[in-house]
Amino acid sequence: MAEEDLRALEGVTDSLGEPPKKFIRFNTLKAIQYNECRIRCRELETLMAGPLRKKKLRPIVFRYVNRLSSLFFMLAYKETK
């Protein structure tokens, strides 16, 4: 994994537009499934925090999972609109 992979992921996420400024209730099956993926990414981030602090995990991997959760959120948001 490299910086260009992270930038590509950020580019896809950014191409989906601005995130909402208020609470969103996901109301379609696909949006709910995307949100479930986002939740699992956030759980993974929590599990990765310890190894990251101990320098047993490359920071870019942690950042990638964080950006992946943002992508899933935006996909859920777009699916709900």
Side-chain angles (χ1 to χ4, degrees), residues 9-81:
L9 184 60
E10 288 173 341
V12 172
T13 303
D14 291 346
S15 74
L16 296 172
E18 290 293 316
K21 301 204 185 318
K22 60 180 181 163
F23 178 81
I24 298 297
R25 183 172 306 279
F26 300 120
N27 57 11
T28 68
L29 178 59
K30 191 180 265 186
I32 291 166
Q33 290 169 331
Y34 282 138
N35 190 52
E36 184 68 23
C37 292
R38 180 192 67 83
I39 291 167
R40 299 297 167 218
C41 284
R42 292 293 187 198
E43 289 174 348
L44 180 57
E45 278 184 88
T46 301
L47 292 172
M48 293 168 66
L52 180 67
R53 278 193 296 272
K54 294 176 184 175
K55 309 255 188 252
K56 295 183 184 245
L57 180 73
R58 294 184 311 162
I60 193 166
V61 175
F62 186 83
R63 288 175 35 217
Y64 192 87
V65 171
N66 177 271
R67 297 289 81 214
L68 190 59
S69 69
S70 296
L71 174 60
F72 284 129
F73 176 79
M74 287 304 296
L75 289 169
Y77 174 57
K78 288 297 182 181
E79 184 61 33
T80 296
K81 286 177 96 176

